[in-house]
Each structure stands twice: as C-alpha cells, then as structure tokens.
Amino acid sequence: MINTEDIYILGIESSCDDTSCAIIKNGLLLSNVTANQSIHEQYGGVIPELAGRDHQKNIVPVVNAAIKKANANLSQISAIAVTRGPGLSGSLLVGLSFAKSLSLALQIPLIEVNHMQGHILAHFIEEADNNKQPEFPFLCLTVSGGHTQIVKITSHLQFELLAETEDDAVGEAFDKAAKILGLPYPGGPLIDKYAKLGDASKYKFPMPQLKNNNYSFSGIKTSFLYFIQEHVKENPNFISENLNDICASYQAHLIKYLLKNVLAVSKETNIKQIAIAGGVSANSVLRTELDVLGKKHQWQTYIPKFEYCTDNAAMIAITGYYKFLQKEFCGLDATPLARYDI
Ligand code: KG4
Ligand code: ZN
C-alpha cells in the first residue's frame, strides 16, 4: 500500500566504496548514515571485489541505523530510491538487490537514480538550517572520482550535458598524483590538507586546450609524473622537502583549469547561477575560488555542505523524492548500469 499522506523516501547508495542510507520526509532530511570502507587505503584505489563484499556486510546495519535515527518505521516508507549507476557493477548490485527486496516485501514502488543527477540534486536536500537552493536554469560543475562534467539543469529532472572530460576525471587527477607522492587513497583530501601550508605559485603545469569546453587530465597527470621523477633523480628527498608546495601548486592548477571552462560555458549560455557538486567540490580552494570568480562575474554560487559532496544516500533520496512526485518508478527487472549517461 502506498502511503500518500506524508512522502517518506528511503534512499540507498552503494555505487563505489561508501554504503549509505537516508530517509527523507516530504523533501526534509531525517537521517543519513554512511559506512566508509578503509580497506582500500592500502591499495591506492578501490578494489571492486572488496568493495562489494563490504557493502554486503554494511548494508543491513546502515539501513537499520538510518531508520532508527529518523525515528521512522518501515510501514511509513512510501518508496525505495536506489543508485542504479554509474559505478562498480558489483557494488551497485548489492544496493539494487537490497532495494528490490525491500520494495517487494513492503509492496511499495522502486525508484532508480542516476548517481550524477543525485550529486547535483544534493543542492535541494532540505534541513532545518537550510542553505539557499539554485534557481533554474543553473549550471553545475560536477566533479568526482569518476566524472568531470558541466551540466545545465532546467528543472529537478531535466539535465543537459554541456562539457565533460575526454579521459581521466579530476578526482583521479588528484588521487593518482597523491599515489605518486606516496600518499594513501583517496589522496584528494590529503593534497588539499598539505596544500594549505604550501606556495601555490612555486611549480607550473601545462594547461590543455580542448574544443567544446571539454576537459582532459591525462596530460597534466603525466607531466606531474615526469616532474616528480626528474626532481627525485636530482634529490631523493625532493618530495618530503617540498610536499606542501607541490600539493599547493598542483591543486591550484587543477582548480584554475576547472573554473576556466566553467567561465567559458557561463559566458556562452549566459547563465549566472553556478553550482558545484561531487567529491571534489569538498576541495577548499575550489570552494573559495568559485566565490571569488562569482563576485567578479556577478554569479549566484551554490556550494554543497561538506557531508553532501562525497557519496551519500541523502542525494539519492532527494532525487527519489522528485521522481516520486512524477511517478517515475521502475520495475524489479532493473539491472545495474556501470555506465549511465546523465
Ligand atoms: O563523489 P565521490 O565521493 O565519489 C565518486 O562518485 O567518485 O568523489 C570521490 C573523489 C575522490 O577522487 C577524492 O579524492 C575526491 O573526491 N575528493 C577531493 C576532496 N575530497 C574528496 N579532492 C580534492 N579535494 C578534496 N578536499
Ligand atoms: Zn559520487
């Protein structure tokens, strides 16, 4: 039986290495519980088989904790929203199978969610101390471990991809550079941390120029590798003696590149509502530089709270809520989509 009075959406996210469950009531967030997987730190990246296994271990306790924290019970839930993709097939399968079982057992609709749409709609999660929400149309720079996109959003469920990366994602550019520096996975937050004490103007890296405002990070990453190798050949202690400056210079370069294309797309589309989303939107320099650029060009800028930058189920539940309002349900035959266009 569908509960039609209050709309309670239970959201599940398991696309990569975070198992998360959230409950949203009429758009308002009641709970968001995430279990992180530390096992991947030692491998320098996410190991798919280990991620799938940990999701299986974590999903029941995480869902139970989210229900308890929301002070809700299963009979109140109107629908189950779950990430269908993009992501790791084995990881997605755990969340999707669990969501299907819940929807079947409770006889309530199942809603499939595109993870990248979820990252963007994180801007619409309502809480008691709410931030301002973007107005339509707005542009979103979506930056994560697997994607780098500039998207135009014309309504809660209408997305148009305007630019993307042609090779690596910016999150990978952070994580791979961190690995070269001997830092554990995920290296993005560590580069951000060391950069705070460094000189961002000390080292220079190449700035790729692509058509259509698309991005390319593979050249920057390779030049970083050669730069480190050459210096280490001359001075074996180069990394430890200059870690803060290396991180600050490399990070500043990546952020400058990201924002350069956002500025170009904003000028072309004449849209001055600019948001950022995804794991890399937690980056302190991206957050401050977006505001600096915004002031210069009279933009309205939207920066998510830290907890909704990296993967979380609150963003899946809010997307599910808007899909519920449009009755966009899916069948129990839905399969995970490792690749899933926005
Ligand atoms: O969105 P997300 O949690 O997962 C994916 O959907 O990929 O993004 C994870 C990515 C990782 O590459 C991680 O290093 C990066 O976000 N990241 C950061 C920061 N926090 C997370 N990169 C730079 N600075 C940060 N503060
Ligand atoms: Zn993500």
Side-chain angles (χ1 to χ4, degrees), residues 115 119 144 311 315:
H115 180 85
H119 270 304
S144 72
D311 291 348
M315 69 188 201

Side-chain angles (χ1 to χ4, degrees), residues 274 288-301:
I274 315 282
T288 49
E289 287 303 309
L290 179 76
D291 273 345
V292 170
L293 204 62
K295 287 205 175 71
K296 192 167 162 199
H297 297 278
Q298 292 85 46
W299 292 347
Q300 289 282 339
T301 56

Side-chain angles (χ1 to χ4, degrees), residues 23-285:
I23 296 180
I24 274 181
K25 178 186 176 185
N26 302 327
L28 189 74
L29 185 68
L30 300 182
S31 65
N32 179 47
V33 176
T34 305
N36 306 114
Q37 302 180 1
S38 56
I39 190 157
H40 310 285
E41 280 169 17
Q42 56 190 298
Y43 298 104
V46 176
I47 308 294
E49 284 77 8
L50 297 180
R53 231 178 283 167
D54 266 17
H55 282 306
Q56 277 180 323
K57 264 191 252 158
N58 293 338
I59 193 140
V60 172
V62 164
V63 171
N64 279 336
I67 294 169
K68 196 168 168 205
K69 202 167 169 212
N71 245 330
N73 62 65
L74 281 175
S75 64
Q76 291 173 306
I77 306 294
S78 320
I80 311 292
V82 61
T83 305
R84 187 180 184 188
L88 302 170
S89 297
S91 293
L92 291 164
L93 194 60
V94 177
L96 191 58
S97 308
F98 191 86
K100 284 180 189 174
S101 321
L102 261 187
S103 126
L104 196 62
L106 300 172
Q107 291 289 298
I108 53 173
L110 180 68
I111 300 169
E112 54 101 43
V113 173
N114 180 309
H115 180 85
M116 301 314 292
Q117 293 185 359
H119 270 304
I120 296 173
L121 293 192
H123 284 282
F124 295 92
I125 297 167
E126 288 176 31
E127 286 181 283
D129 58 337
N130 229 5
N131 288 335
K132 60 183 174 137
Q133 297 184 354
E135 289 166 22
F136 302 113
F138 68 95
L139 297 178
C140 187
L141 171 71
T142 314
V143 276
S144 72
H147 292 78
T148 308
Q149 302 178 331
I150 301 175
V151 182
K152 178 179 167 185
I153 300 95
T154 42
S155 76
H156 288 112
L157 297 176
Q158 273 180 306
F159 303 83
E160 187 188 346
L161 182 66
L162 300 184
E164 63 183 330
T165 177
E166 296 190 356
D167 40 56
D168 288 354
V170 66
E172 282 174 285
F174 271 102
D175 296 336
K176 288 179 179 172
K179 196 175 176 184
I180 294 167
L181 295 173
L183 303 173
Y185 176 87
L190 293 171
I191 291 191
D192 194 358
K193 182 179 147 198
Y194 292 118
K196 288 196 167 83
L197 303 169
D199 173 3
S201 62
K202 190 156 172 193
Y203 304 112
K204 302 278 177 245
F205 301 97
M207 184 69 83
Q209 300 280 357
L210 259 59
K211 279 189 221 138
N212 309 327
N213 303 311
N214 275 354
Y215 293 101
S216 166
F217 291 96
S218 64
I220 301 179
K221 189 191 67 193
T222 310
S223 80
F224 182 79
L225 176 67
Y226 291 157
F227 157 80
I228 295 293
Q229 282 175 342
E230 277 165 25
H231 280 84
V232 167
K233 219 189 286 170
E234 284 166 23
N235 170 13
N237 298 324
F238 174 72
I239 294 177
S240 57
E241 284 170 11
N242 298 283
L243 186 61
N244 296 340
D245 295 339
I246 298 169
C247 289
S249 302
Y250 183 69
Q251 171 175 274
H253 184 72
L254 292 178
I255 303 305
K256 196 171 165 194
Y257 182 35
L258 285 175
L259 291 176
K260 184 171 165 278
N261 289 11
V262 172
L263 178 62
V265 173
S266 165
K267 281 186 176 158
E268 280 171 24
T269 55
N270 204 19
I271 296 174
K272 289 172 176 269
Q273 297 269 323
I274 315 282
I276 53 174
V280 181
S281 66
N283 184 271
S284 60
V285 172

